Amino acid sequence: MTATDQRPAAPRRRRAPAGGGGSKVLGAVVGLALAAAAVGLQTLGLSADEMSMPLASAGDKGEEVATGRFTIRVDGVKTAKSVRAGDKTAVTGNVFLVVETSATVPQEPMKIRPPVLVAEDGRRFDTTDKVDRSKTLANVWSQPGWWASGVFVFDVPADALAGAQASFTAPTSAFYGEPMLPAAEIDLGIDETAAKQLAAAPQDVYTLGEKK
Protein backbone atom coordinates (compact mmCIF):
# COMPACT_ATOMS: atom_id res chain seq x y z
CA MET A 1 0.00 0.00 0.00
CA THR A 2 1.35 3.42 -0.87
CA ALA A 3 1.33 6.28 1.63
CA THR A 4 -1.42 8.09 -0.31
CA ASP A 5 -3.76 5.03 -0.71
CA GLN A 6 -7.01 5.67 1.19
CA ARG A 7 -8.42 2.12 0.84
CA PRO A 8 -8.37 -0.44 3.70
CA ALA A 9 -5.06 -2.18 4.14
CA ALA A 10 -4.55 -5.11 1.81
CA PRO A 11 -2.93 -8.38 2.94
CA ARG A 12 0.13 -7.67 0.78
CA ARG A 13 1.89 -4.48 -0.33
CA ARG A 14 1.14 -3.32 -3.83
CA ARG A 15 4.01 -3.55 -6.25
CA ALA A 16 5.32 -0.36 -7.76
CA PRO A 17 4.13 0.24 -11.33
CA ALA A 18 6.32 -1.24 -13.98
CA GLY A 19 8.63 1.12 -15.81
CA GLY A 20 10.34 2.69 -12.74
CA GLY A 21 7.67 5.28 -11.89
CA GLY A 22 9.25 5.84 -8.48
CA SER A 23 12.64 6.44 -10.09
CA LYS A 24 11.10 8.97 -12.46
CA VAL A 25 9.58 10.90 -9.57
CA LEU A 26 12.88 10.82 -7.68
CA GLY A 27 14.73 11.91 -10.78
CA ALA A 28 12.37 14.86 -11.22
CA VAL A 29 12.84 15.94 -7.61
CA VAL A 30 16.63 15.70 -7.88
CA GLY A 31 16.54 17.60 -11.16
CA LEU A 32 14.51 20.41 -9.62
CA ALA A 33 16.90 20.59 -6.66
CA LEU A 34 19.92 20.80 -8.94
CA ALA A 35 18.26 23.47 -11.05
CA ALA A 36 17.43 25.50 -7.96
CA ALA A 37 21.02 25.18 -6.75
CA ALA A 38 22.32 26.32 -10.12
CA VAL A 39 20.02 29.34 -10.10
CA GLY A 40 21.17 30.14 -6.57
CA LEU A 41 24.81 30.06 -7.58
CA GLN A 42 24.14 32.25 -10.59
CA THR A 43 22.32 34.71 -8.34
CA LEU A 44 25.24 34.82 -5.96
CA GLY A 45 27.57 35.37 -8.90
CA LEU A 46 30.36 33.27 -7.37
CA SER A 47 33.26 32.26 -9.58
CA ALA A 48 35.01 28.89 -9.25
CA ASP A 49 37.87 30.59 -7.41
CA GLU A 50 35.46 32.31 -5.02
CA MET A 51 33.70 29.01 -4.31
CA SER A 52 37.03 27.48 -3.25
CA MET A 53 37.81 30.30 -0.80
CA PRO A 54 37.32 29.69 2.94
CA LEU A 55 34.10 30.89 4.60
CA ALA A 56 35.61 33.10 7.30
CA SER A 57 34.50 34.28 10.73
CA ALA A 58 36.30 37.37 12.05
CA GLY A 59 37.46 38.35 15.52
CA ASP A 60 40.12 40.04 17.60
CA LYS A 61 42.90 38.83 19.85
CA GLY A 62 41.43 37.47 23.09
CA GLU A 63 38.07 36.61 21.52
CA GLU A 64 36.77 33.09 20.91
CA VAL A 65 36.10 32.85 17.18
CA ALA A 66 33.82 29.95 16.27
CA THR A 67 33.69 28.56 12.73
CA GLY A 68 31.39 25.56 13.23
CA ARG A 69 34.25 23.08 12.85
CA PHE A 70 36.58 24.62 15.44
CA THR A 71 36.84 27.55 17.83
CA ILE A 72 40.11 29.46 18.01
CA ARG A 73 41.46 32.13 20.34
CA VAL A 74 44.69 34.10 20.09
CA ASP A 75 45.81 34.61 23.67
CA GLY A 76 48.87 36.75 23.02
CA VAL A 77 51.69 37.68 20.70
CA LYS A 78 55.40 37.87 21.46
CA THR A 79 58.53 38.60 19.45
CA ALA A 80 61.90 36.95 19.91
CA LYS A 81 65.39 36.91 18.45
CA SER A 82 65.51 33.14 18.79
CA VAL A 83 63.17 30.24 19.58
CA ARG A 84 64.23 27.18 21.56
CA ALA A 85 62.39 23.91 20.98
CA GLY A 86 63.88 21.01 22.93
CA ASP A 87 67.61 20.95 22.33
CA LYS A 88 67.45 23.09 19.19
CA THR A 89 67.50 26.87 18.97
CA ALA A 90 66.41 28.70 15.84
CA VAL A 91 67.67 32.18 15.04
CA THR A 92 66.59 34.79 12.53
CA GLY A 93 67.80 37.97 10.90
CA ASN A 94 64.23 39.26 10.99
CA VAL A 95 62.01 38.73 14.02
CA PHE A 96 60.16 35.68 15.24
CA LEU A 97 56.49 36.45 15.87
CA VAL A 98 55.08 33.92 18.32
CA VAL A 99 51.29 33.64 18.27
CA GLU A 100 50.05 32.03 21.49
CA THR A 101 46.87 30.18 20.59
CA SER A 102 44.13 28.03 22.14
CA ALA A 103 41.63 25.86 20.29
CA THR A 104 38.68 23.57 20.89
CA VAL A 105 36.20 21.70 18.69
CA PRO A 106 32.46 21.03 19.04
CA GLN A 107 32.41 17.49 17.69
CA GLU A 108 35.18 16.12 15.47
CA PRO A 109 38.66 15.88 17.06
CA MET A 110 41.22 17.58 14.86
CA LYS A 111 44.67 19.07 14.66
CA ILE A 112 44.59 22.78 13.94
CA ARG A 113 46.29 23.68 10.69
CA PRO A 114 49.07 26.26 10.96
CA PRO A 115 47.63 29.67 10.14
CA VAL A 116 48.85 32.12 7.54
CA LEU A 117 50.00 35.53 8.74
CA VAL A 118 48.50 38.25 6.56
CA ALA A 119 50.24 41.63 6.71
CA GLU A 120 48.27 44.85 6.36
CA ASP A 121 49.64 45.33 2.84
CA GLY A 122 48.51 41.84 1.78
CA ARG A 123 51.79 39.95 2.13
CA ARG A 124 51.26 36.41 3.37
CA PHE A 125 53.66 34.38 5.53
CA ASP A 126 53.54 30.67 6.39
CA THR A 127 54.77 29.48 9.76
CA THR A 128 58.54 29.14 9.83
CA ASP A 129 60.21 25.84 9.02
CA LYS A 130 63.05 26.75 11.37
CA VAL A 131 60.94 25.53 14.31
CA ASP A 132 59.92 21.88 14.56
CA ARG A 133 56.19 21.74 13.76
CA SER A 134 55.73 18.90 16.26
CA LYS A 135 56.53 21.40 19.03
CA THR A 136 53.64 23.68 18.05
CA LEU A 137 49.86 23.57 18.39
CA ALA A 138 49.72 21.95 14.94
CA ASN A 139 50.76 18.66 16.56
CA VAL A 140 48.12 18.70 19.32
CA TRP A 141 44.72 17.04 18.99
CA SER A 142 41.90 19.42 19.92
CA GLN A 143 39.11 17.46 21.61
CA PRO A 144 35.42 18.33 22.11
CA GLY A 145 34.89 20.16 25.38
CA TRP A 146 38.60 20.76 26.01
CA TRP A 147 40.88 23.65 25.17
CA ALA A 148 44.32 22.84 23.79
CA SER A 149 47.01 25.51 23.92
CA GLY A 150 50.24 26.05 22.02
CA VAL A 151 51.98 28.44 19.66
CA PHE A 152 52.60 29.13 16.02
CA VAL A 153 55.84 30.84 15.00
CA PHE A 154 56.46 33.15 12.04
CA ASP A 155 59.76 34.52 10.75
CA VAL A 156 58.86 37.96 9.42
CA PRO A 157 60.34 41.41 8.77
CA ALA A 158 59.48 44.03 11.35
CA ASP A 159 57.42 46.02 8.86
CA ALA A 160 54.93 43.12 8.60
CA LEU A 161 53.83 43.38 12.24
CA ALA A 162 51.49 46.39 12.27
CA GLY A 163 47.93 45.41 11.35
CA ALA A 164 48.77 41.73 10.92
CA GLN A 165 46.08 39.05 11.05
CA ALA A 166 46.25 35.30 11.55
CA SER A 167 44.15 33.30 9.09
CA PHE A 168 43.12 29.82 10.30
CA THR A 169 41.44 27.34 7.93
CA ALA A 170 39.80 24.04 8.85
CA PRO A 171 41.48 20.88 7.58
CA THR A 172 39.62 18.83 5.00
CA SER A 173 37.54 16.04 6.49
CA ALA A 174 35.91 12.84 5.26
CA PHE A 175 32.84 13.73 7.35
CA TYR A 176 32.28 17.13 5.76
CA GLY A 177 31.87 18.11 2.14
CA GLU A 178 32.03 21.87 2.37
CA PRO A 179 32.77 23.58 -0.94
CA MET A 180 34.02 26.49 1.19
CA LEU A 181 36.09 25.44 4.20
CA PRO A 182 35.37 27.27 7.49
CA ALA A 183 38.05 29.76 8.52
CA ALA A 184 38.81 32.29 11.23
CA GLU A 185 40.45 35.66 10.56
CA ILE A 186 41.87 37.10 13.78
CA ASP A 187 43.27 40.60 14.16
CA LEU A 188 46.38 40.27 16.32
CA GLY A 189 45.88 43.71 17.84
CA ILE A 190 49.25 45.06 16.73
CA ASP A 191 48.91 48.77 15.99
CA GLU A 192 51.81 50.99 14.92
CA THR A 193 52.89 51.68 18.52
CA ALA A 194 52.76 48.01 19.51
CA ALA A 195 54.61 47.04 16.34
CA LYS A 196 57.46 49.40 17.15
CA GLN A 197 57.70 48.01 20.69
CA LEU A 198 57.65 44.39 19.51
CA ALA A 199 60.30 45.09 16.89
CA ALA A 200 62.53 47.13 19.20
CA ALA A 201 62.47 44.84 22.23
CA PRO A 202 62.10 41.16 21.27
CA GLN A 203 62.92 38.48 23.84
CA ASP A 204 66.40 37.05 23.49
CA VAL A 205 65.00 33.49 23.60
CA TYR A 206 61.41 32.22 23.51
CA THR A 207 61.28 28.63 24.83
CA LEU A 208 58.43 26.51 23.53
CA GLY A 209 56.52 24.69 26.24
CA GLU A 210 57.61 27.11 28.94
CA LYS A 211 54.77 28.75 30.84
CA LYS A 212 54.61 32.50 30.30
Tab-separated table of all heavy atoms in Angstrom, residues 163-202:
chain	number	residue	atom	x	y	z
A	163	GLY	N	49.148	45.772	12.059
A	163	GLY	CA	47.927	45.412	11.348
A	163	GLY	C	47.833	43.970	10.916
A	163	GLY	O	46.903	43.594	10.180
A	164	ALA	N	48.754	43.123	11.371
A	164	ALA	CA	48.769	41.725	10.919
A	164	ALA	C	47.571	40.940	11.458
A	164	ALA	O	47.064	41.206	12.547
A	164	ALA	CB	50.066	41.053	11.350
A	165	GLN	N	47.150	39.969	10.665
A	165	GLN	CA	46.078	39.052	11.049
A	165	GLN	C	46.556	37.618	10.885
A	165	GLN	O	47.406	37.332	10.041
A	165	GLN	CB	44.832	39.259	10.190
A	165	GLN	CG	44.166	40.613	10.351
A	165	GLN	CD	42.852	40.695	9.590
A	165	GLN	OE1	42.521	39.806	8.791
A	165	GLN	NE2	42.089	41.741	9.828
A	166	ALA	N	45.996	36.729	11.702
A	166	ALA	CA	46.254	35.299	11.554
A	166	ALA	C	45.027	34.664	10.921
A	166	ALA	O	43.906	34.843	11.391
A	166	ALA	CB	46.550	34.652	12.903
A	167	SER	N	45.238	33.927	9.825
A	167	SER	CA	44.149	33.299	9.095
A	167	SER	C	44.200	31.785	9.292
A	167	SER	O	45.124	31.123	8.821
A	167	SER	CB	44.261	33.644	7.603
A	167	SER	OG	43.240	33.015	6.863
A	168	PHE	N	43.205	31.247	10.003
A	168	PHE	CA	43.122	29.818	10.304
A	168	PHE	C	42.062	29.184	9.404
A	168	PHE	O	40.945	29.693	9.298
A	168	PHE	CB	42.722	29.589	11.756
A	168	PHE	CG	43.702	30.090	12.779
A	168	PHE	CD1	43.685	31.426	13.171
A	168	PHE	CD2	44.617	29.236	13.365
A	168	PHE	CE1	44.583	31.890	14.136
A	168	PHE	CE2	45.512	29.695	14.331
A	168	PHE	CZ	45.494	31.030	14.704
A	169	THR	N	42.392	28.052	8.783
A	169	THR	CA	41.441	27.336	7.927
A	169	THR	C	41.283	25.914	8.422
A	169	THR	O	42.258	25.269	8.805
A	169	THR	CB	41.925	27.316	6.472
A	169	THR	OG1	42.147	28.657	6.031
A	169	THR	CG2	40.892	26.666	5.563
A	170	ALA	N	40.059	25.415	8.401
A	170	ALA	CA	39.799	24.042	8.847
A	170	ALA	C	40.466	23.048	7.917
A	170	ALA	O	40.539	23.272	6.702
A	170	ALA	CB	38.301	23.780	8.891
A	171	PRO	N	40.954	21.938	8.452
A	171	PRO	CA	41.482	20.878	7.576
A	171	PRO	C	40.344	20.201	6.843
A	171	PRO	O	39.192	20.241	7.275
A	171	PRO	CB	42.154	19.923	8.575
A	171	PRO	CG	41.414	20.128	9.854
A	171	PRO	CD	41.038	21.586	9.887
A	172	THR	N	40.637	19.593	5.709
A	172	THR	CA	39.621	18.835	5.000
A	172	THR	C	39.251	17.617	5.840
A	172	THR	O	40.046	17.113	6.622
A	172	THR	CB	40.133	18.381	3.627
A	172	THR	OG1	41.359	17.660	3.807
A	172	THR	CG2	40.394	19.588	2.734
A	173	SER	N	38.015	17.149	5.676
A	173	SER	CA	37.536	16.036	6.488
A	173	SER	C	36.652	15.122	5.663
A	173	SER	O	35.891	15.579	4.803
A	173	SER	CB	36.727	16.569	7.689
A	173	SER	OG	36.042	15.525	8.343
A	174	ALA	N	36.756	13.815	5.943
A	174	ALA	CA	35.915	12.845	5.256
A	174	ALA	C	34.458	12.963	5.683
A	174	ALA	O	33.558	12.499	5.000
A	174	ALA	CB	36.413	11.427	5.546
A	175	PHE	N	34.197	13.619	6.830
A	175	PHE	CA	32.845	13.727	7.351
A	175	PHE	C	32.131	14.981	6.866
A	175	PHE	O	30.966	15.176	7.099
A	175	PHE	CB	32.867	13.723	8.884
A	175	PHE	CG	33.419	12.449	9.455
A	175	PHE	CD1	34.725	12.385	9.907
A	175	PHE	CD2	32.643	11.304	9.513
A	175	PHE	CE1	35.241	11.210	10.430
A	175	PHE	CE2	33.150	10.125	10.025
A	175	PHE	CZ	34.452	10.076	10.487
A	176	TYR	N	32.868	15.879	6.227
A	176	TYR	CA	32.281	17.127	5.763
A	176	TYR	C	32.593	17.296	4.283
A	176	TYR	O	33.658	16.925	3.815
A	176	TYR	CB	32.837	18.329	6.535
A	176	TYR	CG	32.458	18.337	7.994
A	176	TYR	CD1	33.211	17.633	8.930
A	176	TYR	CD2	31.335	19.018	8.437
A	176	TYR	CE1	32.867	17.615	10.272
A	176	TYR	CE2	30.985	19.022	9.780
A	176	TYR	CZ	31.755	18.318	10.689
A	176	TYR	OH	31.407	18.316	12.006
A	177	GLY	N	31.659	17.889	3.561
A	177	GLY	CA	31.867	18.106	2.144
A	177	GLY	C	31.721	19.566	1.779
A	177	GLY	O	31.148	19.886	0.744
A	178	GLU	N	32.209	20.451	2.638
A	178	GLU	CA	32.034	21.872	2.372
A	178	GLU	C	32.770	22.298	1.110
A	178	GLU	O	33.950	22.007	0.955
A	178	GLU	CB	32.571	22.734	3.533
A	178	GLU	CG	32.018	22.364	4.892
A	178	GLU	CD	33.023	21.558	5.687
A	178	GLU	OE1	33.769	20.786	5.073
A	178	GLU	OE2	33.037	21.717	6.909
A	179	PRO	N	32.056	23.006	0.193
A	179	PRO	CA	32.774	23.578	-0.941
A	179	PRO	C	33.639	24.761	-0.497
A	179	PRO	O	34.593	25.129	-1.160
A	179	PRO	CB	31.643	24.034	-1.869
A	179	PRO	CG	30.482	24.267	-0.961
A	179	PRO	CD	30.624	23.250	0.135
A	180	MET	N	33.271	25.359	0.650
A	180	MET	CA	34.022	26.494	1.193
A	180	MET	C	34.391	26.145	2.636
A	180	MET	O	33.533	26.089	3.512
A	180	MET	CB	33.177	27.768	1.137
A	180	MET	CG	32.698	28.117	-0.266
A	180	MET	SD	31.513	29.491	-0.295
A	180	MET	CE	32.613	30.863	0.065
A	181	LEU	N	35.654	25.871	2.884
A	181	LEU	CA	36.090	25.444	4.204
A	181	LEU	C	35.933	26.566	5.227
A	181	LEU	O	36.240	27.722	4.934
A	181	LEU	CB	37.550	24.998	4.158
A	181	LEU	CG	37.831	23.696	3.418
A	181	LEU	CD1	39.334	23.492	3.292
A	181	LEU	CD2	37.200	22.522	4.144
A	182	PRO	N	35.472	26.252	6.450
A	182	PRO	CA	35.370	27.267	7.489
A	182	PRO	C	36.743	27.823	7.852
A	182	PRO	O	37.747	27.108	7.838
A	182	PRO	CB	34.762	26.496	8.670
A	182	PRO	CG	34.133	25.289	8.086
A	182	PRO	CD	34.970	24.937	6.892
A	183	ALA	N	36.780	29.103	8.177
A	183	ALA	CA	38.045	29.755	8.518
A	183	ALA	C	37.799	30.821	9.569
A	183	ALA	O	36.665	31.261	9.791
A	183	ALA	CB	38.683	30.373	7.285
A	184	ALA	N	38.866	31.219	10.233
A	184	ALA	CA	38.809	32.292	11.227
A	184	ALA	C	39.891	33.308	10.902
A	184	ALA	O	41.055	32.942	10.723
A	184	ALA	CB	39.002	31.738	12.635
A	185	GLU	N	39.513	34.568	10.807
A	185	GLU	CA	40.453	35.658	10.559
A	185	GLU	C	40.555	36.470	11.843
A	185	GLU	O	39.572	37.101	12.260
A	185	GLU	CB	39.966	36.548	9.413
A	185	GLU	CG	39.633	35.797	8.122
A	185	GLU	CD	40.877	35.345	7.382
A	185	GLU	OE1	41.971	35.841	7.728
A	185	GLU	OE2	40.751	34.515	6.469
A	186	ILE	N	41.723	36.457	12.480
A	186	ILE	CA	41.869	37.102	13.781
A	186	ILE	C	42.877	38.244	13.715
A	186	ILE	O	44.042	38.045	13.340
A	186	ILE	CB	42.297	36.079	14.844
A	186	ILE	CG1	41.245	34.965	14.952
A	186	ILE	CG2	42.491	36.770	16.190
A	186	ILE	CD1	41.523	33.956	16.032
A	187	ASP	N	42.401	39.426	14.070
A	187	ASP	CA	43.267	40.599	14.163
A	187	ASP	C	44.152	40.436	15.397
A	187	ASP	O	43.645	40.239	16.509
A	187	ASP	CB	42.404	41.858	14.276
A	187	ASP	CG	43.214	43.144	14.163
A	187	ASP	OD1	44.335	43.186	14.722
A	187	ASP	OD2	42.732	44.100	13.552
A	188	LEU	N	45.449	40.511	15.215
A	188	LEU	CA	46.376	40.268	16.323
A	188	LEU	C	46.531	41.470	17.255
A	188	LEU	O	47.252	41.396	18.250
A	188	LEU	CB	47.744	39.857	15.775
A	188	LEU	CG	47.749	38.566	14.944
A	188	LEU	CD1	49.171	38.239	14.490
A	188	LEU	CD2	47.163	37.404	15.741
A	189	GLY	N	45.862	42.560	16.940
A	189	GLY	CA	45.880	43.711	17.836
A	189	GLY	C	47.195	44.457	17.869
A	189	GLY	O	47.535	45.084	18.881
A	190	ILE	N	47.939	44.395	16.779
A	190	ILE	CA	49.245	45.063	16.734
A	190	ILE	C	49.096	46.373	15.952
A	190	ILE	O	49.102	46.370	14.713
A	190	ILE	CB	50.316	44.173	16.076
A	190	ILE	CG1	50.362	42.790	16.745
A	190	ILE	CG2	51.677	44.842	16.132
A	190	ILE	CD1	51.307	41.811	16.062
A	191	ASP	N	48.954	47.483	16.672
A	191	ASP	CA	48.908	48.771	15.987
A	191	ASP	C	50.338	49.268	15.769
A	191	ASP	O	51.314	48.568	16.075
A	191	ASP	CB	48.070	49.782	16.777
A	191	ASP	CG	48.586	50.021	18.194
A	191	ASP	OD1	49.759	49.684	18.478
A	191	ASP	OD2	47.826	50.557	19.030
A	192	GLU	N	50.475	50.462	15.247
A	192	GLU	CA	51.806	50.986	14.923
A	192	GLU	C	52.698	51.081	16.165
A	192	GLU	O	53.885	50.734	16.136
A	192	GLU	CB	51.680	52.363	14.264
A	192	GLU	CG	51.078	52.341	12.860
A	192	GLU	CD	52.030	51.748	11.828
A	192	GLU	OE1	53.224	51.584	12.140
A	192	GLU	OE2	51.575	51.458	10.706
A	193	THR	N	52.110	51.544	17.273
A	193	THR	CA	52.885	51.679	18.516
A	193	THR	C	53.354	50.318	19.017
A	193	THR	O	54.526	50.125	19.371
A	193	THR	CB	52.059	52.381	19.599
A	193	THR	OG1	51.688	53.686	19.138
A	193	THR	CG2	52.850	52.508	20.893
A	194	ALA	N	52.421	49.353	19.050
A	194	ALA	CA	52.763	48.010	19.514
A	194	ALA	C	53.795	47.363	18.591
A	194	ALA	O	54.702	46.653	19.052
A	194	ALA	CB	51.514	47.149	19.596
A	195	ALA	N	53.664	47.610	17.293
A	195	ALA	CA	54.608	47.035	16.337
A	195	ALA	C	56.019	47.548	16.589
A	195	ALA	O	56.995	46.779	16.535
A	195	ALA	CB	54.171	47.357	14.906
A	196	LYS	N	56.143	48.825	16.869
A	196	LYS	CA	57.458	49.399	17.150
A	196	LYS	C	58.060	48.800	18.419
A	196	LYS	O	59.256	48.494	18.475
A	196	LYS	CB	57.342	50.911	17.276
A	196	LYS	CG	57.057	51.619	15.958
A	196	LYS	CD	56.920	53.126	16.156
A	196	LYS	CE	56.613	53.828	14.836
A	196	LYS	NZ	56.427	55.289	15.020
A	197	GLN	N	57.218	48.599	19.431
A	197	GLN	CA	57.703	48.014	20.689
A	197	GLN	C	58.127	46.561	20.489
A	197	GLN	O	59.176	46.134	20.987
A	197	GLN	CB	56.608	48.108	21.755
A	197	GLN	CG	56.290	49.533	22.187
A	197	GLN	CD	55.095	49.605	23.123
A	197	GLN	OE1	54.298	48.668	23.220
A	197	GLN	NE2	54.949	50.724	23.820
A	198	LEU	N	57.320	45.796	19.752
A	198	LEU	CA	57.648	44.394	19.507
A	198	LEU	C	58.923	44.246	18.688
A	198	LEU	O	59.724	43.332	18.917
A	198	LEU	CB	56.483	43.707	18.794
A	198	LEU	CG	55.216	43.458	19.621
A	198	LEU	CD1	54.056	43.043	18.724
A	198	LEU	CD2	55.472	42.390	20.684
A	199	ALA	N	59.111	45.159	17.738
A	199	ALA	CA	60.301	45.090	16.892
A	199	ALA	C	61.548	45.560	17.630
A	199	ALA	O	62.648	45.036	17.406
A	199	ALA	CB	60.091	45.926	15.631
A	200	ALA	N	61.374	46.544	18.517
A	200	ALA	CA	62.530	47.126	19.202
A	200	ALA	C	63.002	46.305	20.388
A	200	ALA	O	64.182	46.348	20.750
A	200	ALA	CB	62.187	48.548	19.662
A	201	ALA	N	62.087	45.550	21.005
A	201	ALA	CA	62.470	44.838	22.233
A	201	ALA	C	61.998	43.382	22.219
A	201	ALA	O	61.203	42.955	23.072
A	201	ALA	CB	61.900	45.569	23.453
A	202	PRO	N	62.462	42.580	21.261
A	202	PRO	CA	62.103	41.161	21.273
A	202	PRO	C	62.823	40.426	22.400
A	202	PRO	O	63.879	40.864	22.860
A	202	PRO	CB	62.582	40.665	19.909
A	202	PRO	CG	63.726	41.574	19.577
A	202	PRO	CD	63.365	42.907	20.144
